[in-house]
Amino acid sequence: MDTMETRRNAIVNFINENGTVSFAEIKKEFPNVSEMTLRTDLKFLDEEKRILRIHGGAKSVQTIIESDDFLGKRFVRSIEEKKLIAEKALAVLKEGAAVYLDSGSTATMLAGMFPDESRLIYTTGLTCATELSALEKPSVMIPGGKLNRYSQSVYGFTAIKELERVNFDQAFMGVTGFHTSTGFACGMSDEAILKQMAIRQSEQVIVLMDSSKIGKKCSYTFCDFSDIDIIISDGKLPEDFLAECNRYGVEVL
């Protein structure tokens, strides 16, 4: 890997770690790189959709879209971890339960494992719905709303109002990032409100998240430990996070 590519990767990592940064902060982080070179780097990275340039700085793509990247790219990351999480989630799925299934690559993997049983399943993930379409017995519902082309999901006021009418036994929620200062969060305001509604309407809330989500800041908080019953992960969650789970009585699988 050449120096330029190494530097640009480092810039992306710095922006992702901090969410939104000013150009002054970028210059401070890379003191040996000229201002002109940094601006060229930011322009290139923006065109490649790896960051978003804003007035006076840059923002992580993670804080702009619901997912941590284009969904297609996420499917090829941490496949074994996602499979492990999906298998654990399947073990806590209650027979005949009315279920809310969030969007995302891990949720999609879980959807592909759902048993062909009579139950109500609401999902905002189009890829989840595609997987569930192979089943004959469940009633699969997709709420109306706007299309998020990045995460292949539905969001918006219409979807939120539809979920308000449904009572779920279990909600399987995805997470874009968790940080001590933001809690469990995602990158879109409407998406956060939709997730909050699904949580509010659910008797049991189960969060699906691999350890890579820890430490990631996102713009919109949708829940905290007190809203969650179970967190299903890859067995690599840090000790301080596990301590908070224990403090709030959240079961970790």
Side-chain angles (χ1 to χ4, degrees):
M1 187 180 295
D2 60 29
T3 303
M4 180 178 67
E5 187 175 354
T6 301
R7 182 183 68 249
R8 287 175 173 174
N9 287 340
I11 291 172
V12 172
N13 290 336
F14 175 67
I15 294 171
N16 284 343
E17 289 171 1
N18 293 278
T20 303
V21 296
S22 67
F23 188 70
E25 289 172 320
I26 297 173
K27 286 196 298 182
K28 184 177 180 181
E29 181 69 14
F30 300 91
N32 298 323
V33 183
S34 71
E35 183 171 317
M36 182 178 294
T37 297
L38 285 175
R39 293 191 185 280
T40 300
D41 287 342
L42 293 178
K43 182 176 184 294
F44 173 83
L45 293 170
D46 178 79
E47 291 171 349
E48 291 291 304
K49 295 182 172 62
R50 296 178 65 189
I51 65 161
L52 180 74
R53 284 199 302 171
I54 59 175
H55 181 70
K59 180 175 286 192
S60 168
V61 174
Q62 297 167 9
T63 68
I64 303 302
I65 61 176
E66 181 275 336
S67 58
D68 61 350
D69 205 338
F70 293 100
L71 187 62
K73 293 182 179 178
R74 287 192 292 144
F75 272 120
V76 299
R77 295 178 183 166
S78 306
I79 292 176
E80 289 305 315
E81 287 82 355
K82 295 178 193 298
K83 183 179 179 182
L84 174 63
I85 292 169
E87 288 173 345
K88 289 181 179 179
L90 192 64
V92 302
L93 177 64
K94 298 176 181 178
E95 184 177 354
V99 170
Y100 172 79
L101 181 60
D102 210 354
S103 61
S105 55
T106 305
T108 301
M109 187 165 289
L110 173 58
M113 298 180 182
F114 259 66
D116 196 3
E117 300 172 349
S118 178
R119 71 172 74 244
L120 174 66
I121 306 172
Y122 262 84
T123 183
T124 51
L126 302 186
T127 51
C128 293
T130 299
E131 292 290 335
L132 294 167
S133 68
L135 306 179
E136 296 181 357
K137 295 180 180 179
S139 177
V140 180
M141 307 293 291
I142 305 172
K146 298 178 182 179
L147 172 66
N148 181 335
R149 65 186 180 89
Y150 297 101
S151 62
Q152 289 293 292
S153 64
V154 176
Y155 72 102
F157 177 78
T158 305
I160 293 166
K161 293 301 291 183
E162 186 167 346
L163 291 187
E164 189 177 21
R165 300 185 293 105
V166 188
N167 298 310
F168 299 108
D169 297 303
Q170 293 178 297
F172 293 86
M173 308 300 301
V175 176
T176 305
F178 173 85
H179 193 277
T180 53
S181 64
T182 60
F184 299 86
C186 60
M188 290 179 62
S189 176
D190 282 354
E191 184 73 20
I193 297 171
L194 188 150
K195 287 175 181 285
Q196 287 172 339
M197 179 59 69
I199 289 170
R200 188 177 306 129
Q201 295 298 110
S202 299
E203 184 176 326
Q204 184 183 53
V205 178
I206 302 151
V207 169
L208 312 175
M209 62 178 293
D210 61 78
S211 54
S212 70
K213 303 297 176 66
I214 303 295
K216 287 187 177 180
K217 284 185 178 180
C218 298
S219 300
Y220 299 98
T221 300
F222 64 85
C223 76
D224 209 335
F225 288 101
S226 58
D227 302 303
I228 299 169
D229 297 295
I230 301 173
I231 292 177
I232 301 179
S233 192
D234 52 11
K236 303 174 185 177
L237 295 173
E239 289 300 323
D240 57 343
F241 183 89
L242 293 174
E244 283 298 291
C245 291
N246 183 62
R247 178 186 171 194
Y248 284 91
V250 177
E251 183 179 2
V252 179
L253 301 177

